[in-house]
Amino acid sequence: MTELDLQYKARLAEQLELYSEMKETMKEMVEKRGNLNEEERNLLSVAYKNVVGQKRTSWRIVTSLLSKNNEQAKIDVCSYFKEKIEKELNDLCDEIIGLLKNHLLNQEEESAETKVFYHKMHGDYLRYKVEISQGAEKEAQGNESKQAYELAQEIAKELKPTHPIRLGLALNFSVFHFEIANDHEKACKLAKTAFDEAMEHLDAPTKQQNESYKDSTLIMQLLRDNLTLWQENLEGEQEYEQEGEQEK
């Protein structure tokens, strides 16, 4: 199958919401070629985000059910599914992390935008592994996730404060600080700084910039929503729930 055939197959799989097929198609493309153009990069992100996102949702549901059940038979069933989901989720995260490390990261010829995109993805999928890990493994993966985000953050200084990828990084890194590092003040500071800097540089878009402008304002809204929720939590007015955080 040619690269154009693979790209068409991935786009069609997305349209049909066949995200496992889409993921396998984009995995094949990365392994064949390595570097991706902007459209292909976004297809890769959408594919893994949807497949992994479904597993994360299932894990949260079964974890909640497990904490509420008192009957041993039901606890055993929930435990079985929790363990099964955790293995599948870890395997998926390891798969995309492997693609990033072996094919997509550390390509010097790539633009700052592309480098930030991939390092952010690296931090995201390590963070998802942290959510379901325990003990020393959880700590090690948390440190690695933080390092990936910090590297992305350093490179992102080359992008405008309103750039959707820079804003998406700030959004997800602030979620990391809040729910993984348990540093609520740092999470709020990062989200507020990113939002305020973007507001200062937000101009009316040209026709060519309209799509990017929509993406930027959407992420800014998510930043503000999280900031409001977190500040209320810090003031003791509202209890934070893990599934309440917004991320990109």
Side-chain angles (χ1 to χ4, degrees), residues 54 74 77-78 83 121 138 165 173 181 190 213 227 234:
Q54 188 272 327
K74 292 181 179 179
V77 172
C78 288
E83 184 177 337
M121 279 187 74
K138 185 182 187 76
I165 292 177
F173 196 12
L190 176 56
Y213 180 85
L227 191 56
L234 289 174

Side-chain angles (χ1 to χ4, degrees), residues 209-222:
Q209 297 171 326
N210 194 50
E211 198 62 39
S212 177
Y213 180 85
K214 289 179 181 177
D215 289 342
S216 296
T217 53
L218 172 62
I219 301 170
M220 289 171 68
Q221 181 63 54
L222 296 177

Side-chain angles (χ1 to χ4, degrees), residues 10-175:
R11 287 200 304 265
L12 181 58
E14 179 184 17
Q15 186 178 349
L16 300 174
E17 298 185 1
L18 299 173
Y19 295 112
S20 291
E21 284 282 344
M22 185 183 183
K23 174 191 75 70
E24 288 301 315
T25 303
M26 292 312 301
K27 179 175 179 286
E28 182 179 349
M29 183 182 292
V30 171
E31 290 173 339
K32 277 187 173 182
R33 176 151 50 91
N35 61 315
L36 303 176
N37 62 35
E38 183 179 355
E39 181 184 2
E40 293 163 348
R41 189 182 71 199
N42 289 332
L43 288 170
L44 177 73
S45 177
V46 168
Y48 276 92
K49 181 177 181 180
N50 278 279
V51 174
V52 171
Q54 188 272 327
K55 298 296 181 186
R56 293 176 72 212
T57 299
S58 297
W59 183 84
R60 287 173 174 173
I61 292 170
V62 77
T63 300
S64 176
L65 290 173
L66 190 58
S67 68
K68 295 173 183 176
N69 269 316
N70 296 318
E71 298 178 35
Q72 189 58 50
K74 292 181 179 179
I75 290 173
D76 290 343
V77 172
C78 288
S79 297
Y80 163 77
F81 280 116
K82 181 173 179 286
E83 184 177 337
K84 183 176 187 294
I85 293 165
E86 286 177 351
K87 183 183 184 309
E88 292 172 353
L89 183 50
N90 265 315
D91 288 347
L92 285 167
C93 289
D94 287 340
E95 183 176 283
I96 181 60
I97 289 169
L99 291 177
L100 289 164
K101 286 184 173 181
N102 297 327
H103 301 280
L104 299 170
L105 290 171
N106 304 317
Q107 296 189 30
E108 292 300 323
E109 68 275 11
E110 295 286 10
S111 66
E113 176 182 309
T114 301
K115 290 178 182 178
V116 173
F117 187 94
Y118 289 141
H119 284 295
K120 171 188 168 293
M121 279 187 74
H122 190 199
D124 287 342
Y125 287 96
L126 284 164
R127 173 163 59 87
Y128 303 153
K129 286 174 67 68
V130 174
E131 290 175 348
I132 60 174
S133 299
Q134 301 292 331
E137 184 181 37
K138 185 182 187 76
E139 183 178 356
Q141 290 169 348
N143 289 334
E144 193 176 351
S145 177
K146 182 181 179 183
Q147 289 170 5
Y149 282 131
E150 287 175 339
L151 182 53
Q153 193 175 49
E154 185 62 29
I155 302 170
K157 293 176 182 177
E158 300 177 36
L159 306 178
K160 293 181 179 179
T162 54
H163 197 295
I165 292 177
R166 176 169 169 171
L167 285 168
L169 170 64
L171 179 67
N172 288 16
F173 196 12
S174 64
V175 170

